[in-house]
Amino acid sequence: MNILITSGGTSEKIDQVRSITNHSTGQLGKIISEQFLEAGFSVTLVTTPTAVQPKAHPRLTKVIIKDVAELQTVLEKETPTHQVLIHAMAVSDYSPVYMSGFQAVKEAANLEQFLQQTNQEPKISSEEDYQILFLKKNPKLISLVKTWNPDIRLIGFKLLVNVPQDQLLSVARASLEKNQAEMIVANDLSEIQDGKHRAYLVSDQDVQLAETKSDIAQKIYHHITNKG
Amino acid sequence: MNILITSGGTSEKIDQVRSITNHSTGQLGKIISEQFLEAGFSVTLVTTPTAVQPKAHPRLTKVIIKDVAELQTVLEKETPTHQVLIHAMAVSDYSPVYMSGFQAVKEAANLEQFLQQTNQEPKISSEEDYQILFLKKNPKLISLVKTWNPDIRLIGFKLLVNVPQDQLLSVARASLEKNQAEMIVANDLSEIQDGKHRAYLVSDQDVQLAETKSDIAQKIYHHITNKG
């Protein structure tokens, strides 16, 4: 069984020196990768340049990507040859389209025109006190996974911040159904600190509670191997 | 002589999971730190979480910061007890103020109102195809250094992208004068790759050309110690 794992956080370029980055240390994806490698599986880890990386291993293939467009290319290529995708990467929802000084936007007759523009300068500069950045929604890659490989077993992740537990679980259940996942690992940033990492592993059958990254990795591993 | 060095790139939070990040590996600041440590100086290195770090050393003090506000606090505290500041950090020019869906901005009678708003959600979500991020200019910390310590010897950096050499040099000379620096290290991102790092070390007296990060570090070191 070939396991495809994503970890780290994507970055979307504003210009050559600035990006919008989704934070993720990559620590959880590293631990999950190690869990499957130790058990004898082959792992392809798609990760980002600043994420922590597992040590080199004969059955580990690493693919480094930066942004959602690169991630899409890699997932479209890799999903057909893998039986499981554990999609732990923090993926950018939006990408920069155009950055402008405040005055130009304020004086414009309509704002749609800015959605068609692109910055020509490799480093956007401005003397103005305020700038405005227009952003466009990225494709939701998790919803495309089954179109690339209908048979792949999909484990998704959902990170929210400071929400009640019932909201976290209902968002996870909606994602489970919408993306045809067999498990969504739902976690709240406020419950990830000091070595603890609380997560709810939501499937059609049940909800398992995990309290650390190792615990999450082990529960995912048992889920995959017991039903594989 | 106590040497204060900054390296890495700052990040400004959009919300709890996203930031705008200025790219910098921190490699040059690491090499400059090592150059001064090996020569017997005490070094305070102000750097960022993902920047590469010099090895621990009895005369090295590290201070980790994330954003411009934290950098300002640290520099204001540290500059009075240091004789030299080598300010190699890539510092964010702008910080997020407020993020909105496109429709709300389009329908607003005036755009200034958004500059007074702050997002209440710890993770900003939207179903809209487009979002708009309002940004505010950060204080230019390099211009404040001499107000905190008029006697500190200041080495600044200027990074541009794909500009003619005469433009790079004239921007460096303007920064030299404006910030009362004794040297500005001017470089172009297009000339930093594959182990090469071309830079022009611009002072009132002359312009020195360096071709690698080690070369830049050595020329800064000789400049500081020959005139110290």
Side-chain angles (χ1 to χ4, degrees):
Chain A
M1 192 154 56
N2 297 325
I3 315 289
L4 184 58
I5 299 170
T6 68
S7 77
T10 56
S11 286
E12 301 292 335
K13 277 190 179 181
I14 298 172
D15 60 18
Q16 294 297 314
V17 301
R18 274 168 286 231
S19 294
I20 294 185
T21 301
N22 273 50
H23 302 299
S24 178
T25 61
Q27 191 65 39
L28 181 58
K30 170 181 183 283
I31 294 173
I32 297 170
S33 299
E34 289 165 348
Q35 178 92 31
F36 279 94
L37 288 167
E38 281 164 24
F41 293 92
S42 293
V43 171
T44 303
L45 176 64
V46 183
T47 186
T48 51
T50 59
V52 293
Q53 313 277 337
K55 276 188 211 144
H57 188 288
R59 275 180 279 99
L60 172 65
T61 305
K62 284 199 296 184
V63 184
I64 307 287
I65 61 100
K66 287 187 177 169
D67 60 22
V68 171
E70 290 175 6
L71 178 62
Q72 178 162 359
T73 302
V74 170
L75 288 184
E76 197 164 351
K77 173 172 175 283
E78 297 293 342
T79 44
T81 57
H82 289 77
Q83 287 72 54
V84 176
L85 169 59
I86 301 167
H87 189 29
M89 186 178 270
V91 181
S92 307
D93 292 324
Y94 288 82
S95 292
V97 172
Y98 182 68
M99 190 176 242
S100 166
F102 184 79
Q103 281 303 320
V105 178
K106 192 187 160 185
E107 290 161 12
N110 77 78
L111 300 191
E112 274 86 357
Q113 63 181 285
F114 295 103
L115 304 177
Q116 311 305 325
Q117 293 189 42
T118 49
N119 297 93
Q120 299 305 315
E121 327 89 283
K123 181 177 181 180
I124 302 165
S125 66
S126 170
E127 292 302 310
E128 287 188 51
D129 286 343
Y130 295 95
Q131 278 190 326
I132 293 185
L133 178 63
F134 294 85
L135 301 117
K136 185 182 194 307
K137 197 169 201 167
N138 288 326
K140 286 272 187 198
L141 299 189
I142 190 173
S143 72
L144 301 174
V145 169
K146 293 279 174 166
T147 67
W148 300 323
N149 179 357
D151 298 325
I152 203 163
R153 302 177 61 188
L154 174 61
I155 312 275
F157 284 71
K158 196 82 203 179
L159 177 69
L160 296 177
V161 185
N162 264 331
V163 297
Q165 184 192 326
D166 59 349
Q167 184 182 340
L168 185 59
L169 293 179
S170 81
V171 168
R173 289 205 178 89
S175 175
L176 193 70
E177 186 173 355
K178 186 179 174 203
N179 301 309
Q180 302 170 59
E182 66 176 54
M183 177 181 279
I184 297 292
V185 181
N187 44 177
D188 190 305
L189 189 62
S190 66
E191 299 182 321
I192 306 174
Q193 53 190 332
D194 305 329
K196 303 281 278 179
H197 186 147
R198 175 171 290 182
Y200 303 91
L201 287 70
V202 180
S203 68
D204 278 340
Q205 292 77 44
D206 58 14
V207 177
Q208 298 178 67
L209 177 65
E211 292 285 2
T212 64
K213 291 188 204 310
S214 295
D215 194 10
I216 297 170
Q218 280 170 30
K219 287 191 163 80
I220 291 173
Y221 173 79
H222 287 301
H223 172 86
I224 291 294
T225 51
N226 288 342
K227 303 192 182 176
Chain B
M1 191 154 57
N2 297 325
I3 314 289
L4 184 59
I5 298 171
T6 68
S7 77
T10 56
S11 287
E12 301 292 336
K13 276 189 180 183
I14 297 172
D15 60 19
Q16 293 297 312
V17 301
R18 275 168 285 231
S19 295
I20 294 185
T21 301
N22 274 49
H23 302 300
S24 178
T25 61
Q27 191 66 40
L28 180 57
K30 172 181 182 282
I31 294 174
I32 298 170
S33 299
E34 289 165 348
Q35 178 93 31
F36 279 93
L37 287 167
E38 281 163 24
F41 293 92
S42 293
V43 171
T44 303
L45 176 64
V46 183
T47 186
T48 51
T50 59
V52 293
Q53 313 278 337
K55 274 187 213 146
H57 188 288
R59 276 181 277 98
L60 172 65
T61 305
K62 284 200 296 183
V63 184
I64 307 287
I65 61 99
K66 287 186 177 169
D67 60 22
V68 171
E70 290 176 6
L71 178 62
Q72 177 162 359
T73 301
V74 170
L75 288 184
E76 196 163 352
K77 174 172 175 281
E78 297 293 343
T79 44
T81 57
H82 289 77
Q83 286 72 55
V84 176
L85 169 59
I86 302 168
H87 189 29
M89 187 178 270
V91 181
S92 307
D93 292 324
Y94 288 82
S95 292
V97 172
Y98 183 69
M99 190 175 243
S100 166
F102 184 79
Q103 281 303 320
V105 178
K106 192 186 161 186
E107 291 161 10
N110 78 78
L111 299 192
E112 274 86 356
Q113 62 180 287
F114 295 104
L115 305 177
Q116 311 304 324
Q117 294 190 42
T118 49
N119 297 93
Q120 299 305 315
E121 327 89 282
K123 181 177 180 179
I124 302 165
S125 67
S126 171
E127 292 303 310
E128 288 188 51
D129 286 343
Y130 295 95
Q131 277 190 327
I132 293 185
L133 178 64
F134 294 85
L135 301 116
K136 184 182 195 306
K137 196 169 201 167
N138 288 326
K140 285 272 186 196
L141 299 189
I142 191 174
S143 71
L144 301 174
V145 169
K146 293 279 174 166
T147 67
W148 300 323
N149 178 359
D151 298 325
I152 204 164
R153 301 176 61 187
L154 175 60
I155 311 275
F157 283 71
K158 197 82 204 179
L159 177 70
L160 296 177
V161 185
N162 264 332
V163 297
Q165 185 191 325
D166 59 349
Q167 184 183 340
L168 185 60
L169 293 179
S170 79
V171 167
R173 289 203 177 89
S175 175
L176 194 71
E177 186 172 356
K178 186 179 173 203
N179 301 308
Q180 302 171 59
E182 66 176 55
M183 177 181 278
I184 297 292
V185 181
N187 45 177
D188 189 306
L189 188 62
S190 66
E191 298 182 320
I192 306 174
Q193 54 191 330
D194 305 329
K196 303 280 280 180
H197 186 148
R198 176 170 291 183
Y200 302 91
L201 286 70
V202 180
S203 68
D204 278 339
Q205 292 78 43
D206 58 15
V207 176
Q208 297 178 67
L209 176 66
E211 293 285 3
T212 65
K213 291 189 205 312
S214 296
D215 193 10
I216 297 170
Q218 281 170 30
K219 286 192 163 81
I220 290 174
Y221 173 79
H222 286 301
H223 172 86
I224 291 294
T225 51
N226 288 341
K227 303 192 181 176

